[in-house]
Amino acid sequence: MDDKLQSTTITNHGLNDTELASADVVVVEKAGTSRDAEHMRRLGRKQELRPHCVVAFGLFNGGTAGLIYTYLIVVFLFFLTNVSMAEMASMAPTAGGQYHWISEFAPRRAQKVLSYFIGWLCTLGWQSGVAIGCFLAGTQIQGLIILNDDSYVYARWHGTLLTMTMALFVFVFNTFLARHLPLIEGLVLCLHLGGFVAILVPLWVLGPRGNSHEIWTKFDNLGGWDSTGLSVLVGLITPLTSLLGADAAVHMAEELKDAGKILPRAMIWTSAINGVLGFIMLVTFCYTLGDLEEIVATPTGFPFIQVFYNATGSKGGATAMTLILTVSSTANAMTNMATASRQLWAFARDGGVPFHRWFATVQPRFEIPLNAVVFTAMFTILFSLVNIGSTVAFNQILSLGLGALLISYFISIFCVTLRRIRGQPLLPSSFQLGKLGLPINILSLCFLAVGWVMSFFPAMAHPTPQSMNWSSLAFSSVMILGAIYYVLKARHHYVGPVEYVQKTV
């Protein structure tokens, strides 16, 4: 999810001093700019936060050709999706993101219920994203131990302890060093770009050379599906996951200066940069892959570690290259926790979760939703225990985030599309799609519908309980729990963000 990392970074460094001076806004230390204050007034909110700035799956289903072509398609269509959301972010820059947009743009009769369930899904989805981020960073370290120590005996609980350690580290940063998040993200952006070169050059110089004809034309169906076409569709999960999360910056909107203007730029540039860099990395990976079966069966658990080792022939070289990605994964987990806690805080502010008053508290000393950050860290620590029983179950349950975010994108864009079809006015904003809005929105909806359905498919046909994609169960469970809480309590006090919006702009 590097796009989540870069999105907040670009947001804070997207304008130079000259551009800021010509933007005709007044910067206020805590409230941001005068334009930010106007957005908060219209949204009926008070500025409380200080402005801060899975490749194996695709190889199994589609092979190298499937990975490359689905990636290109997903990059283009995800770009249209992110452009659609960027327009909404410019109209209503708020930490609530999708559930707030739905509350404002959905038909009146559906505003309350739709925004509630999307808020519930996004909140739990982003919480799962933090757990996955910490798990990836922790288990990459475990993969390096396997690579460098032949006497090491792999155990799942080791990975769980490393995940917990990562969660605690990320928690401390998001609590006591939150003011330095823009600086850290700027440094990590430099690492991200520098590491991109540091990884590619050794692979280009030392790695094996694949056959171009096979790489670009051979589609694999190792999952045993009825057709190669279906297998390629199942492989969509890989590019979908790698490009997911451009809405991360949205949930930090109330901590950004001139968010209505900068957020769309951040989201668009993030999509474009990550799309190009990701394609270069993907093609390089496919050309230097070597033996597919060896890569997929690597004892490290990460195909890219095996590719690095095969290319360099050196454990030290492979370790250095992997550490670049591990540091990036750690920084990504930091951003995920910040995003997840703000999403929880915003939804709690509207009374959407149990103990909402506690979650909605912002401590003046830290100027962050500390209680929401604490819960996010504890959720990751407790949920990582599932990995001791089954890593597959842990990954598949937490893949809830993919389905949850895709459906939140779909419904929020659908609401805007419906307004366009009906000729209803949209809110004024710094970024508008104009006449291209409707075709862009419709293409985005078609793409998201297909992606959402495929996100629940397992990696292979006729799966065993261990290889089953249990995210459909997790998704249904979250919806049922949300419905129970809504019927018992939330319907009595949750009204939706639209009720707080000032009607005169």
Side-chain angles (χ1 to χ4, degrees):
M1 299 183 179
D2 288 339
D3 43 350
K4 290 197 272 293
L5 167 65
Q6 291 187 35
S7 58
T8 48
T9 303
I10 297 173
T11 297
N12 293 284
H13 303 285
L15 295 178
N16 57 38
D17 293 338
T18 303
E19 289 174 312
L20 283 172
S22 64
D24 193 26
V25 293
V26 179
V27 177
V28 184
E29 171 62 21
K30 183 172 180 179
T33 68
S34 56
R35 192 180 290 124
D36 293 324
E38 175 61 22
H39 281 302
M40 288 294 98
R41 183 201 68 78
R42 190 194 71 80
L43 297 172
R45 301 301 187 188
K46 179 176 68 173
Q47 189 81 30
E48 298 182 89
L49 308 178
R50 178 180 295 274
H52 302 309
C53 309
V54 229
V55 175
F57 199 102
L59 289 173
F60 210 64
N61 292 283
T64 55
L67 262 179
I68 292 173
Y69 294 122
T70 56
Y71 182 87
L72 289 172
I73 294 170
V74 170
V75 163
F76 173 70
L77 294 175
F78 234 140
F79 182 80
L80 299 185
T81 299
N82 292 334
V83 166
S84 298
M85 291 195 296
E87 183 184 44
M88 290 184 284
S90 183
M91 289 188 283
T94 168
Q98 294 92 301
Y99 90 89
H100 180 105
W101 301 334
I102 291 168
S103 181
E104 282 216 64
F105 303 133
R108 180 66 180 175
R109 292 179 300 175
Q111 286 175 345
K112 180 177 178 179
V113 174
L114 275 182
S115 67
Y116 170 81
F117 280 101
I118 292 302
W120 190 265
L121 280 174
C122 283
T123 298
L124 270 295
W126 272 109
Q127 291 294 321
S128 71
V130 178
I132 283 290
C134 292
F135 176 76
L136 287 175
T139 51
Q140 282 175 20
I141 296 174
Q142 189 178 22
L144 288 176
I145 296 173
I146 295 172
L147 176 67
N148 289 279
D149 187 355
D150 295 333
S151 65
Y152 172 71
V153 179
Y154 171 85
R156 283 194 295 265
W157 66 270
H158 295 170
T160 296
L161 286 179
L162 287 167
T163 300
M164 292 178 174
T165 302
M166 194 60 62
L168 289 174
F169 172 77
V170 171
F171 165 74
V172 170
F173 184 91
N174 272 274
T175 302
F176 300 102
L177 301 173
R179 293 170 182 258
H180 302 292
L181 185 60
L183 173 62
I184 296 299
E185 289 189 332
L187 293 175
V188 172
L189 177 60
C190 294
L191 174 67
H192 184 72
L193 297 176
F196 176 78
V197 176
I199 290 174
L200 287 184
V201 171
L203 291 178
W204 288 344
V205 174
L206 302 174
R209 291 291 182 272
N211 181 280
S212 294
H213 178 75
E214 289 190 358
I215 290 171
W216 292 88
T217 63
K218 184 181 178 182
F219 295 86
D220 291 316
N221 183 10
L222 301 180
W225 298 98
D226 293 339
S227 69
T228 302
L230 178 57
S231 181
V232 171
L233 280 175
V234 173
L236 275 174
I237 292 180
T238 294
L240 280 172
T241 303
S242 65
L243 296 166
L244 188 71
D247 63 305
V250 173
H251 304 294
M252 304 293 291
E254 295 173 38
E255 296 169 76
L256 303 174
K257 296 176 180 178
D258 200 14
K261 183 176 182 178
I262 297 181
L263 267 180
R265 297 185 182 184
M267 297 172 71
I268 293 171
W269 277 107
T270 296
S271 298
I273 293 174
N274 276 337
V276 172
L277 297 183
F279 179 71
I280 297 172
M281 182 66 80
L282 176 61
V283 173
T284 298
F285 180 83
C286 290
Y287 267 91
T288 59
L289 187 59
D291 183 68
L292 176 59
E293 292 185 3
E294 178 193 9
I295 298 302
V296 173
T298 174
T300 66
F302 291 91
F304 65 81
I305 296 181
Q306 192 66 45
V307 169
F308 294 165
Y309 178 64
N310 291 349
T312 63
S314 165
K315 292 183 178 180
T319 298
M321 295 165 73
T322 301
L323 283 175
I324 294 173
L325 298 182
T326 302
V327 173
S328 182
S329 295
T330 303
N332 182 44
M334 293 177 185
T335 306
N336 282 356
M337 183 170 286
T339 299
S341 58
R342 271 57 171 190
Q343 169 73 68
L344 173 58
W345 167 75
F347 196 42
R349 183 174 59 179
D350 290 317
V353 295
F355 312 109
H356 56 91
R357 291 186 178 86
W358 186 78
F359 284 121
T361 301
V362 175
Q363 283 73 11
R365 175 186 173 187
F366 295 97
E367 294 183 318
I368 62 171
L370 183 59
N371 296 341
V373 177
V374 169
F375 174 85
T376 302
M378 292 306 300
F379 178 92
T380 295
I381 290 173
L382 293 176
F383 221 86
S384 66
L385 295 173
V386 175
N387 179 60
I388 297 177
S390 171
T391 299
V392 174
F394 179 80
N395 278 313
Q396 298 293 9
I397 291 174
L398 289 181
S399 63
L400 160 70
L402 176 59
L405 290 179
L406 289 179
I407 196 65
S408 73
Y409 300 163
F410 180 90
I411 295 181
S412 52
I413 294 174
F414 177 80
C415 292
V416 170
T417 304
L418 191 60
R419 292 182 71 92
R420 281 194 157 103
I421 292 174
R422 293 177 173 178
Q424 297 172 326
L426 297 174
L427 296 173
S429 62
S430 301
F431 175 73
Q432 297 177 340
L433 295 178
K435 293 181 179 180
L436 294 176
L438 186 58
I440 288 176
N441 291 162
I442 291 176
L443 283 173
S444 301
L445 291 175
C446 295
F447 160 67
L448 292 170
V450 174
W452 184 75
V453 172
M454 302 317 298
S455 71
F456 297 108
F457 272 63
M460 62 184 68
H462 314 296
T464 64
Q466 290 74 28
S467 62
M468 178 62 184
N469 185 343
W470 294 106
S471 59
S472 56
L473 176 61
F475 187 92
S476 301
S477 299
V478 169
M479 293 295 286
I480 292 172
L481 288 173
I484 292 173
Y485 181 68
Y486 182 82
V487 171
L488 294 180
K489 194 164 184 179
R491 65 189 178 94
H492 300 296
H493 55 74
Y494 179 83
V495 294
V498 70
E499 298 301 327
Y500 303 102
V501 171
Q502 300 294 321
K503 304 304 180 182
T504 56
V505 179

